[in-house]
Amino acid sequence: MPTIARELADLAALIADPGRALILSRLMDGRAQTAGELALVAGVTPQTASWHLGRLVQHALLKVERRGPRRLYRLATPLVAQVLEGMMTVAVTGPQATRPPARIDAAMRQARTCYDHLAGELGVALADALREREYLVLDQEVGGLTEAGTAFLGSFGIDLRPSSRHRRVLCRPCLDWSERRPHLAGRAGAALAELAFQRDWIRRRPQGRSVEITDTGLDAFRSLFGVRI
Amino acid sequence: MPTIARELADLAALIADPGRALILSRLMDGRAQTAGELALVAGVTPQTASWHLGRLVQHALLKVERRGPRRLYRLATPLVAQVLEGMMTVAVTGPQATRPPARIDAAMRQARTCYDHLAGELGVALADALREREYLVLDQEVGGLTEAGTAFLGSFGIDLRPSSRHRRVLCRPCLDWSERRPHLAGRAGAALAELAFQRDWIRRRPQGRSVEITDTGLDAFRSLFGVRI
DNA sequence: TGAACATTTCGATCCTGATCGAAACGTTGC
DNA sequence: GCAACGTTTCGATCAGGATCGAAATGTTCA
């Protein structure tokens, strides 16, 4: 009989290869990439990357769709992203003494997407600012928008009124591995990130999932949200 | 510069060994075990287990305390347990077609502890029953007790009134890897599990973290909570 | 101090899995 | 149908880590 520990080990082995970890980390913004691009990300030849991608698809961490002669790979489910994010948190909160987290991925630490919402200093600062104005209640395990918060986000055209159409949770904390504090996830977090992209407050960097804060973005975050960055 | 992907891969490699996965899975009930016992669990010699345990402590997944000539190992933090539980969920929700989850760890699936609360069929059935009576609101991402629920648990001597002394969240969903639905975690879940042990509704099995439901327990869960198992 | 016991360290061996070159496959566009 | 391109399959090689025997360490108790 297969044991859960065995399943755990198999899954971990899948993530344990540096190339595959790079691929997974790259795909954690939820978008799709071609096999060739992912080979570059992983720093291996296309045939090696193909082997890795095959294993990741076989174990249902990734799903693949054919787009002409190319194949596009993306994370299979949001749950995968959530668990990987959790693993990253454990990875960097671990041996603090030996590995100063400050030296890890400077661009990623400043601002990045975490599947569909914002993370890093920016993500945590936004959550803090919303909390300070009492628009949001958020700790490490649960979160919720206040009525004032719903109205505030509504003023940006974000409709977060309770609805039976949406099965997805409005507001969820997501422990940030770089800041070690929760940022805003769930429908509210996703909508906020979408707004920021639409208004050009942030831009995706060409590679990786870190984002760049534009000058107008810095203004907006400070003046509209009261963010201190 | 170390990248987060590299940290992720290193952590995964740590969990990827079958012996270490068995050790971690065993320790997921939050209690401590000696090196010798863990060697038996992992199915390796004491010197091999010692090597594994050393690595797990070095990377801060475990912490160790000396008790006389023995050394007791336990999970370093609740976060570690939470992330491992998440990984298990991904591991079994993955290739559903190839690996029928029904065949995995029968005893564990029925009832087990998940760090400090109850999981498996029992854990999910308890959460369902509490939800049915409108004592509890719980979905995959957030949860909360109703006033009636707080009073109900209070009738068993469980004091869950909001208090500034307790930093820990009252009520949190924890996705159950075997049932694929949330069970009750947080302070409420821990208190409920403690109650069940104290009243001899459940007993820990000698090895592993699965628990046995006693006859009185079955009665109690059915008559007092309305659980259908 | 010495014996008993649990655990760790050292050293040598073995095996799984990552890698890439070469070649085959499949899709698109002419 | 053929050429071009992205991707995968096959095969051989190589390395890192898991394993255990032997011996050392450390702790308790008499």
Side-chain angles (χ1 to χ4, degrees):
Chain A
M1 179 162 64
T3 64
I4 185 63
R6 182 73 229 185
E7 303 285 324
L8 175 66
D10 287 348
L11 172 67
L14 214 59
I15 307 172
D17 178 81
R20 285 196 292 263
L22 281 164
I23 288 172
L24 289 169
S25 176
R26 175 66 189 84
L27 293 176
M28 268 180 68
D29 61 3
R31 292 184 302 166
Q33 297 285 324
T34 67
E37 286 167 329
L38 292 173
L40 288 177
V41 167
V44 294
T45 59
Q47 58 269 37
T48 301
S50 171
W51 182 72
H52 287 314
L53 290 168
R55 296 197 51 161
L56 291 168
V57 169
Q58 188 189 353
H59 287 77
L61 285 190
L62 301 186
K63 56 186 177 186
V64 57
E65 60 192 86
R66 312 171 94 101
R67 183 79 56 94
R70 304 164 190 273
R71 300 200 182 179
L72 292 177
Y73 291 86
R74 69 172 75 236
L75 291 189
T77 66
L79 180 64
V80 174
Q82 201 177 321
V83 167
L84 289 174
E85 185 80 8
M87 289 182 70
M88 289 179 174
T89 308
V90 168
V92 299
T93 51
Q96 291 182 237
T98 63
R99 291 186 228 167
R103 294 197 57 250
I104 297 180
D105 278 341
M108 291 264 274
R109 280 181 39 249
Q110 195 202 10
R112 65 179 180 277
T113 52
C114 173
Y115 207 66
D116 55 9
H117 55 272
L118 294 174
E121 284 174 28
L122 175 61
V124 170
L126 265 170
D128 283 347
L130 290 172
R131 210 156 27 174
E132 206 161 287
R133 294 185 173 186
E134 299 192 339
Y135 290 157
L136 176 68
V137 179
L138 194 75
D139 67 20
Q140 292 218 347
E141 301 192 328
V142 295
L145 279 180
T146 62
E147 285 189 22
T150 307
F152 175 69
L153 293 181
S155 73
F156 292 102
I158 298 176
D159 182 11
L160 290 175
R161 284 171 302 182
S163 152
S164 57
R165 283 189 306 113
H166 293 103
R167 285 181 52 243
R168 189 163 173 213
V169 169
L170 222 66
C171 195
R172 170 177 77 80
C174 178
L175 191 52
D176 196 292
W177 57 257
S178 54
E179 296 293 303
R180 297 178 185 177
R181 276 165 51 227
H183 56 245
L184 181 59
R187 230 173 84 210
L192 200 53
E194 197 187 345
L195 177 76
F197 278 119
Q198 276 177 358
R199 301 213 173 172
D200 196 41
W201 292 344
I202 50 176
R203 292 183 195 142
R204 295 183 192 278
R205 289 188 210 276
Q207 71 271 6
R209 60 188 172 100
S210 66
V211 299
E212 176 192 7
I213 305 174
T214 63
D215 289 341
T216 50
L218 201 57
D219 269 355
F221 290 131
R222 282 177 178 158
S223 62
L224 298 177
F225 292 82
V227 167
R228 280 190 291 271
I229 43 175
Chain B
M1 178 162 64
T3 64
I4 185 64
R6 182 75 228 184
E7 303 285 323
L8 174 66
D10 287 347
L11 172 67
L14 214 59
I15 307 172
D17 179 80
R20 285 196 293 261
L22 280 164
I23 290 172
L24 289 169
S25 176
R26 175 68 189 83
L27 293 176
M28 270 179 68
D29 62 3
R31 292 184 302 167
Q33 297 285 323
T34 67
E37 287 166 328
L38 292 173
L40 288 177
V41 167
V44 294
T45 58
Q47 57 269 36
T48 301
S50 172
W51 182 70
H52 287 315
L53 290 167
R55 297 199 50 162
L56 289 168
V57 169
Q58 188 188 354
H59 286 77
L61 286 190
L62 301 186
K63 57 186 177 187
V64 57
E65 62 191 84
R66 313 169 94 102
R67 182 80 55 95
R70 305 164 190 272
R71 300 200 183 179
L72 293 177
Y73 291 87
R74 68 172 76 236
L75 291 189
T77 66
L79 180 64
V80 174
Q82 201 177 320
V83 167
L84 289 175
E85 185 81 8
M87 289 181 69
M88 289 178 174
T89 307
V90 168
V92 299
T93 52
Q96 289 182 239
T98 64
R99 290 187 230 166
R103 293 197 59 252
I104 298 180
D105 277 341
M108 290 264 275
R109 281 181 37 248
Q110 196 201 9
R112 65 180 181 276
T113 51
C114 174
Y115 207 66
D116 55 9
H117 55 272
L118 294 174
E121 284 174 25
L122 175 62
V124 170
L126 265 171
D128 283 347
L130 290 173
R131 210 159 24 177
E132 206 161 285
R133 295 186 173 185
E134 299 193 341
Y135 290 157
L136 176 67
V137 178
L138 194 76
D139 67 20
Q140 292 218 345
E141 300 191 329
V142 295
L145 280 179
T146 62
E147 285 189 22
T150 308
F152 175 68
L153 293 180
S155 72
F156 292 102
I158 299 176
D159 182 11
L160 291 174
R161 284 171 302 183
S163 152
S164 56
R165 282 187 307 112
H166 293 103
R167 284 182 51 243
R168 187 161 172 214
V169 169
L170 223 65
C171 196
R172 171 176 76 79
C174 177
L175 192 52
D176 195 292
W177 57 258
S178 55
E179 297 291 304
R180 298 179 183 173
R181 278 167 47 231
H183 56 247
L184 181 59
R187 229 174 84 209
L192 200 53
E194 197 187 346
L195 177 75
F197 279 119
Q198 275 176 358
R199 302 215 173 172
D200 196 40
W201 292 343
I202 51 176
R203 292 182 195 142
R204 296 184 192 277
R205 290 187 210 277
Q207 70 271 6
R209 60 189 171 100
S210 66
V211 300
E212 177 192 5
I213 306 176
T214 63
D215 290 340
T216 51
L218 201 57
D219 269 355
F221 289 133
R222 284 177 176 159
S223 62
L224 298 177
F225 292 83
V227 167
R228 281 190 290 271
I229 44 173

